[in-house]
Amino acid sequence: MYRYILNRLLLSIPTLIGAAALVFVLMRLIPGDICMVRLGGSGGTVSPSALAACHAQIGLERPLPLQFLDFIGGFAVGDFGTSMWSGKPVIQEIASRLPVSLEIALLATIVAVAIAIPLGTISALKQNSWLDHVVRTVAIAGIATPSFWLGILSILIVLDVSHYLFGHPWMPSIDYVPLWDDPLGNLSIVILPAITIGYRYSAVTMRMTRSAMLEVLREDYIRTARAKGLIEQLIVNRHALKNAMLPVVTLVGIEFAFLIGGLVVTEQVFNLNGIGRLFVQAVQNQDYTLTQALVMLTVAIFVVTNLVVDVLYAWLDPRIRFG
Amino acid sequence: MKTHIRGLAVGLSVTLSAALAATPALAQTPKRGGTMTYMIPADAPPSLDGHKENTFATLHATAPFYSTLISINPDNPASSTDFVCDLCTEMPKPTDDGKTYTFKIRKGVKFHDGTPLTAADVAKSWQYIVHPPKGVSSAREAYMVMVDSVENPDDETVVFKLKFATSAFVPALADPFAFIYKKDILEKDPTWYEKNVLGSGPFKFSSYEIGQSIKGVRNPDYYHQGKPYLDGFNAIFAAKQSVRVDAIRADRAVTEFRGMPPSARDELVKELGDKVTVQTGDWNCVNLLTPNQKKKPFDDVRVRRALALAIDQWKGAPALSKIATVHTVGGLVFPGSPLAATKEELTKLVGFGTDIEKARAEARRLLKEAGAEGLKFELMNRNVDQPYKFIATWAIDEWSKIGLKVTQKVLPTGPFYEGLRAGSFEVAVEFNCQNLVNPLLDVAKVLPRSVYPENYGGYEDPKLIELYNAMLHETDPAKQREKMRAFETYALDTQVDTIMTPWWERIIVARSYMKGWKISPSHYINLNLANIWLDK
């Protein structure tokens, strides 16, 4: 088991280097100049000396191979350098945003799993009943509805309902407060985005749970269990659901990893200062160092999530053993 | 009919709100206390250093922490000529034929760390702005071309010596980014202010969460007696307009200080009625349609003239103002400035005539003469909604009326600037948006690139430079105005180096309990919050 994990971690190194080389080259293919965006983006005059000083300060005048070696060398020792845009250490830039994205991703996952697994299971057990049709309709609507649209709609509903109830529109604080500073305040800020993201997420997971359950319920060992006279609840919970969870766990893992850096529009709709928003800013500002670090972070999150999913497989299906 | 009545009601309430906003600040006694939350319509600024940055996001976040030598009068910010002392004791009269300005600095001013602020700090800050040492960048260096030296003969005096007398100097000195920093810190580490805040302004720095918020608390030692009125402020970064509108609607924020489009104003007024006030005014920003004269057929003045003639400025401005942040037809100079062209003067320039059918007939004739009938070209634009895309769509429609087939190419900011600098465009939607109204420097945008690095028209023109220099060195207001007309006529009419579009309109919607703040023609000024109080 430990050997398997170690092997997987070692195999991730070429993946990370490949991703690093790709993002390094791609970023530099985008036409533009971070210093011009920074100094002239608001319409002011940019003198050649100010432009040259900016280039020198962020090291853009150095040869590209040296820049790449710096990036890879720094990454190997956990030093991502400083943001070309803000001049702050990249680690600091990411660390201030990561808790927000992690919290939303975690809450959205909880919302999604809490909705998807019971409803997906019921839907499979009551296949083609009115209940199944309702659940499938809810799931398809969830897949078809963009999260950002649902986000805007939910904000407007909260504003209008609070206006109707209290005589003035209400929304939670616009200034994010960390969970450990003010748990209730924090929850009031993150719950709406978590629900709007969780709904789409749950819809996809619900569909997967339903189809996996339908497949498992037709397996011979389920028929045997029924023939043995086991009660239905035990058959579903212990034998069917656990085995049907394999593809669901994979899906939840991929979705969770995606949510860390992929909530670009939802973070903007709710003005959450997360990794997704930082990603867009970094690309728009042509902040090479920050974009590179964020891509590496995303790759690392996917690698770790896949590893966790693989380990979970063994627990869910004892037939799976690591070589 | 119902729609018309509702539209009228919104319009009336806007006007009424604006009127209400303008009057009560003087009549009421300011109340002390309260923390004001406002929105900054941007993501995190590159740094907190006003000397190095050009973006309003830096100013909206840091202006309350700093003092400047002089500023636009906060009680009359709509004026483009009313300057008052901030750190100085009185506005000086120039000596030495207008080439020397001697400022006396207030006594007893302290930085927020308790150390005294002296003329040495003022002089050092300005020396770094005007002539930054090697390796240090100053975004304002190019504006201060007229300054020869800045000295402090003693702890209470700062002397600016100019290379030549010019009325562009005093407005340039009121630059809102020209924060007064501590001399010792600047000398020790010129990059310190990029990540740290230490000023002498009305508010002391409290905290900064990158991309989220910046907070300040009242400076009890502020040198303007009785100010600021607020206990503190909390500025929230929010690039998305709907977030800002919802925040004001739900009273999570009082206002934003950049400017909203008409649709957002109407939405808030409709929803909140007299709970919000609206202030509007001309904005010192304008989009320009710049042909690249290095590309054919735009090297032919007849083609450029045809492009200008096709656009109906007088009909377009009021129509566009309903949906975009533009309002006033104008020439090269900000319409509110004494140096701006009157309507009578404007109508004499190509593209500003009042008979559009006659103008378009002439445009078609010129295109035919130049062999450019049915010309197809690409209009490069920046990926910004307000008002860039509105302006471009309007211009394309106007050009189609003389048979031109124009497509719009929208690019993000980085590639857009790369396109401008590389000269790879045919016609571009540019913009000229300066910190405060200083027409003599603002119009330099149309000077050739050899003189003004951010001109992308691809032309060299010694006569234009000559006309500009004559105007810049002229100190007699009447003669200066005449020279400005000659410069403007040459750039917009004779050469048609660029085509004007309506000047922007600044619309500020605020919760009506915010008092003491007045709109200015720039979103870069009047931002230190010292005069603001909350009527709650």
PDB file of all heavy atoms in Angstrom, chain A residues 296-309:
ATOM      1  N   MET A 296       0.428  24.836 -11.290  1.00  0.00           N
ATOM      2  CA  MET A 296       1.097  23.754 -10.563  1.00  0.00           C
ATOM      3  C   MET A 296       0.262  23.311  -9.357  1.00  0.00           C
ATOM      4  O   MET A 296       0.164  22.125  -9.054  1.00  0.00           O
ATOM      5  CB  MET A 296       2.496  24.197 -10.102  1.00  0.00           C
ATOM      6  CG  MET A 296       3.430  24.572 -11.232  1.00  0.00           C
ATOM      7  SD  MET A 296       3.525  23.348 -12.525  1.00  0.00           S
ATOM      8  CE  MET A 296       4.556  22.142 -11.782  1.00  0.00           C
ATOM      9  N   LEU A 297      -0.344  24.294  -8.694  1.00  0.00           N
ATOM     10  CA  LEU A 297      -1.192  23.967  -7.544  1.00  0.00           C
ATOM     11  C   LEU A 297      -2.369  23.107  -7.992  1.00  0.00           C
ATOM     12  O   LEU A 297      -2.705  22.098  -7.353  1.00  0.00           O
ATOM     13  CB  LEU A 297      -1.697  25.260  -6.886  1.00  0.00           C
ATOM     14  CG  LEU A 297      -2.731  25.083  -5.780  1.00  0.00           C
ATOM     15  CD1 LEU A 297      -2.054  24.589  -4.500  1.00  0.00           C
ATOM     16  CD2 LEU A 297      -3.476  26.370  -5.484  1.00  0.00           C
ATOM     17  N   THR A 298      -2.984  23.504  -9.108  1.00  0.00           N
ATOM     18  CA  THR A 298      -4.142  22.753  -9.614  1.00  0.00           C
ATOM     19  C   THR A 298      -3.735  21.332  -9.999  1.00  0.00           C
ATOM     20  O   THR A 298      -4.434  20.361  -9.668  1.00  0.00           O
ATOM     21  CB  THR A 298      -4.754  23.485 -10.835  1.00  0.00           C
ATOM     22  OG1 THR A 298      -4.917  24.847 -10.488  1.00  0.00           O
ATOM     23  CG2 THR A 298      -6.076  22.902 -11.228  1.00  0.00           C
ATOM     24  N   VAL A 299      -2.606  21.217 -10.681  1.00  0.00           N
ATOM     25  CA  VAL A 299      -2.128  19.884 -11.068  1.00  0.00           C
ATOM     26  C   VAL A 299      -1.897  19.050  -9.809  1.00  0.00           C
ATOM     27  O   VAL A 299      -2.311  17.886  -9.723  1.00  0.00           O
ATOM     28  CB  VAL A 299      -0.832  19.992 -11.915  1.00  0.00           C
ATOM     29  CG1 VAL A 299      -0.247  18.610 -12.181  1.00  0.00           C
ATOM     30  CG2 VAL A 299      -1.114  20.681 -13.239  1.00  0.00           C
ATOM     31  N   ALA A 300      -1.244  19.654  -8.814  1.00  0.00           N
ATOM     32  CA  ALA A 300      -0.947  18.933  -7.563  1.00  0.00           C
ATOM     33  C   ALA A 300      -2.239  18.488  -6.883  1.00  0.00           C
ATOM     34  O   ALA A 300      -2.338  17.364  -6.372  1.00  0.00           O
ATOM     35  CB  ALA A 300      -0.125  19.816  -6.641  1.00  0.00           C
ATOM     36  N   ILE A 301      -3.247  19.370  -6.886  1.00  0.00           N
ATOM     37  CA  ILE A 301      -4.529  19.010  -6.252  1.00  0.00           C
ATOM     38  C   ILE A 301      -5.157  17.816  -6.973  1.00  0.00           C
ATOM     39  O   ILE A 301      -5.653  16.883  -6.342  1.00  0.00           O
ATOM     40  CB  ILE A 301      -5.495  20.225  -6.236  1.00  0.00           C
ATOM     41  CG1 ILE A 301      -5.004  21.240  -5.197  1.00  0.00           C
ATOM     42  CG2 ILE A 301      -6.919  19.796  -5.924  1.00  0.00           C
ATOM     43  CD1 ILE A 301      -5.720  22.564  -5.246  1.00  0.00           C
ATOM     44  N   PHE A 302      -5.094  17.832  -8.304  1.00  0.00           N
ATOM     45  CA  PHE A 302      -5.653  16.707  -9.070  1.00  0.00           C
ATOM     46  C   PHE A 302      -4.887  15.409  -8.786  1.00  0.00           C
ATOM     47  O   PHE A 302      -5.494  14.357  -8.604  1.00  0.00           O
ATOM     48  CB  PHE A 302      -5.647  17.015 -10.579  1.00  0.00           C
ATOM     49  CG  PHE A 302      -6.916  17.686 -11.031  1.00  0.00           C
ATOM     50  CD1 PHE A 302      -6.998  19.063 -11.141  1.00  0.00           C
ATOM     51  CD2 PHE A 302      -8.048  16.934 -11.328  1.00  0.00           C
ATOM     52  CE1 PHE A 302      -8.171  19.684 -11.536  1.00  0.00           C
ATOM     53  CE2 PHE A 302      -9.233  17.544 -11.730  1.00  0.00           C
ATOM     54  CZ  PHE A 302      -9.297  18.923 -11.834  1.00  0.00           C
ATOM     55  N   VAL A 303      -3.569  15.509  -8.698  1.00  0.00           N
ATOM     56  CA  VAL A 303      -2.745  14.318  -8.429  1.00  0.00           C
ATOM     57  C   VAL A 303      -3.114  13.740  -7.060  1.00  0.00           C
ATOM     58  O   VAL A 303      -3.367  12.538  -6.919  1.00  0.00           O
ATOM     59  CB  VAL A 303      -1.239  14.684  -8.492  1.00  0.00           C
ATOM     60  CG1 VAL A 303      -0.383  13.566  -7.915  1.00  0.00           C
ATOM     61  CG2 VAL A 303      -0.827  14.957  -9.932  1.00  0.00           C
ATOM     62  N   VAL A 304      -3.173  14.603  -6.059  1.00  0.00           N
ATOM     63  CA  VAL A 304      -3.473  14.138  -4.696  1.00  0.00           C
ATOM     64  C   VAL A 304      -4.898  13.587  -4.629  1.00  0.00           C
ATOM     65  O   VAL A 304      -5.142  12.531  -4.035  1.00  0.00           O
ATOM     66  CB  VAL A 304      -3.260  15.294  -3.674  1.00  0.00           C
ATOM     67  CG1 VAL A 304      -3.770  14.898  -2.298  1.00  0.00           C
ATOM     68  CG2 VAL A 304      -1.794  15.664  -3.613  1.00  0.00           C
ATOM     69  N   THR A 305      -5.842  14.281  -5.259  1.00  0.00           N
ATOM     70  CA  THR A 305      -7.232  13.819  -5.219  1.00  0.00           C
ATOM     71  C   THR A 305      -7.361  12.444  -5.873  1.00  0.00           C
ATOM     72  O   THR A 305      -8.044  11.559  -5.342  1.00  0.00           O
ATOM     73  CB  THR A 305      -8.156  14.835  -5.931  1.00  0.00           C
ATOM     74  OG1 THR A 305      -7.864  16.120  -5.435  1.00  0.00           O
ATOM     75  CG2 THR A 305      -9.607  14.525  -5.695  1.00  0.00           C
ATOM     76  N   ASN A 306      -6.698  12.273  -7.009  1.00  0.00           N
ATOM     77  CA  ASN A 306      -6.745  10.968  -7.674  1.00  0.00           C
ATOM     78  C   ASN A 306      -6.177   9.880  -6.790  1.00  0.00           C
ATOM     79  O   ASN A 306      -6.683   8.758  -6.745  1.00  0.00           O
ATOM     80  CB  ASN A 306      -5.980  11.017  -9.003  1.00  0.00           C
ATOM     81  CG  ASN A 306      -6.845  11.587 -10.107  1.00  0.00           C
ATOM     82  OD1 ASN A 306      -8.065  11.525 -10.035  1.00  0.00           O
ATOM     83  ND2 ASN A 306      -6.218  12.153 -11.109  1.00  0.00           N
ATOM     84  N   LEU A 307      -5.126  10.225  -6.080  1.00  0.00           N
ATOM     85  CA  LEU A 307      -4.493   9.264  -5.174  1.00  0.00           C
ATOM     86  C   LEU A 307      -5.460   8.874  -4.046  1.00  0.00           C
ATOM     87  O   LEU A 307      -5.630   7.698  -3.717  1.00  0.00           O
ATOM     88  CB  LEU A 307      -3.214   9.884  -4.605  1.00  0.00           C
ATOM     89  CG  LEU A 307      -2.318   8.960  -3.805  1.00  0.00           C
ATOM     90  CD1 LEU A 307      -1.781   7.840  -4.682  1.00  0.00           C
ATOM     91  CD2 LEU A 307      -1.134   9.738  -3.219  1.00  0.00           C
ATOM     92  N   VAL A 308      -6.103   9.887  -3.480  1.00  0.00           N
ATOM     93  CA  VAL A 308      -7.070   9.635  -2.401  1.00  0.00           C
ATOM     94  C   VAL A 308      -8.212   8.756  -2.919  1.00  0.00           C
ATOM     95  O   VAL A 308      -8.648   7.813  -2.254  1.00  0.00           O
ATOM     96  CB  VAL A 308      -7.611  10.978  -1.831  1.00  0.00           C
ATOM     97  CG1 VAL A 308      -8.762  10.747  -0.873  1.00  0.00           C
ATOM     98  CG2 VAL A 308      -6.492  11.738  -1.143  1.00  0.00           C
ATOM     99  N   VAL A 309      -8.661   9.051  -4.137  1.00  0.00           N
ATOM    100  CA  VAL A 309      -9.744   8.257  -4.735  1.00  0.00           C
ATOM    101  C   VAL A 309      -9.308   6.806  -4.901  1.00  0.00           C
ATOM    102  O   VAL A 309     -10.049   5.867  -4.572  1.00  0.00           O
ATOM    103  CB  VAL A 309     -10.176   8.874  -6.093  1.00  0.00           C
ATOM    104  CG1 VAL A 309     -11.061   7.915  -6.883  1.00  0.00           C
ATOM    105  CG2 VAL A 309     -10.909  10.184  -5.867  1.00  0.00           C
TER     106      VAL A 309
END
